[in-house]
Amino acid sequence: ESYAIPYFSAFAGGDSSGGNITIDANGGTLSATSLFADASAVSWPDAVVRGNASAGSVSITSRNGGSITATDLSMYADAEGGNSGNVAGDASAGTLSLSGIGGSLIFDTVRLEATALGGTGSVLSGAAVGGKASILLDAGSYIWKSLDVVTDATSTFDATTPGAQGNGASWLSDAISLTVTNGAELTVASDINLSSNATATADAPAGANALGGHIVTTAIEHKAVLAA
């Protein structure tokens, strides 16, 4: 777990940056009841100066006959900008990568989350940029119960302060990619949820922009199965 939370200050909120997590089963075996990898970043509120938040990255790979087994897989690279009595902090979510390249990824539930929440400011709220999540299944058979991938971005708004301004929420290109290739088989017994929404709140006197993300699914020489 790599989680950044700066110390609270009455005068200035600190910036926070998540770290990088890499798990690589290259011909080896990793087994656990649950696998939780978190490279998020949260900035505390401040009275004067904003604290920005930039999440890190998580990369999990099984290759060359390697195996990773867990009942639940959770990967996070969320970001939350600090609230402020002035200008609030921006939030930039991180990057998540899950790859099976001639290896095994044996899970029941799979969740990848790289969301951004801009801070609430009495003068100007923080902008939010959602993260990026990619899943590559190259050869092999993968049987999961559920798959959830979320890279949403939300900019908040201080409705209690007259004249407070909102801010924009946006995405990264190819915010979510799911690729099944080289004869790989993906079976999901329950639900597949892929979400890359952007929400910008109203403000006075001007509105704020919201741009949703791109979701790309690719199947090449594959057999992908979604079972009810």
Side-chain angles (χ1 to χ4, degrees):
E1 182 176 1
S2 174
Y3 200 79
I5 302 179
Y7 181 78
F8 173 77
S9 168
F11 301 99
D15 295 339
S16 62
S17 299
N20 300 317
I21 298 173
T22 301
I23 297 174
D24 187 358
N26 186 1
T29 300
L30 172 64
S31 298
T33 301
S34 63
L35 181 54
F36 177 87
D38 192 345
S40 298
V42 175
S43 289
W44 283 107
D46 67 89
V48 180
V49 181
R50 67 182 181 179
N52 299 319
S54 299
S57 67
V58 180
S59 175
I60 296 178
T61 304
S62 176
R63 54 194 173 116
N64 296 330
S67 177
I68 300 176
T69 303
T71 301
D72 303 306
L73 171 66
S74 301
M75 301 168 63
Y76 295 93
D78 298 323
E80 182 176 344
N83 297 334
S84 175
N86 194 341
V87 177
D90 298 334
S92 297
T95 302
L96 303 173
S97 174
L98 175 63
S99 301
I101 306 172
S104 298
L105 298 171
I106 304 172
F107 309 118
D108 282 348
T109 62
V110 176
R111 181 173 181 84
L112 283 68
E113 179 179 306
T115 64
L117 177 64
T120 301
S122 297
V123 175
L124 177 66
S125 291
V129 180
K132 190 169 186 175
S134 64
I135 298 175
L136 170 62
L137 305 178
D138 186 343
S141 178
Y142 306 86
I143 302 174
W144 302 334
K145 288 185 178 179
S146 64
L147 172 61
D148 292 281
V149 185
V150 183
T151 62
D152 295 344
T154 303
S155 179
T156 57
F157 172 62
D158 183 3
T160 65
T161 303
Q165 299 288 304
N167 213 321
S170 58
W171 46 271
L172 297 176
S173 178
D174 296 343
I176 299 175
S177 66
L178 170 59
T179 302
V180 181
T181 187
N182 195 22
E185 297 184 18
L186 171 62
T187 302
V188 179
S190 181
D191 298 326
I192 295 178
N193 173 40
L194 307 178
S195 174
S196 185
N197 296 316
T199 303
T201 53
D203 65 83
N209 295 325
L211 299 172
H214 292 163
I215 298 175
V216 179
T217 59
T218 305
I220 305 172
E221 297 178 1
H222 77 298
K223 180 181 179 182
V225 179
L226 173 60

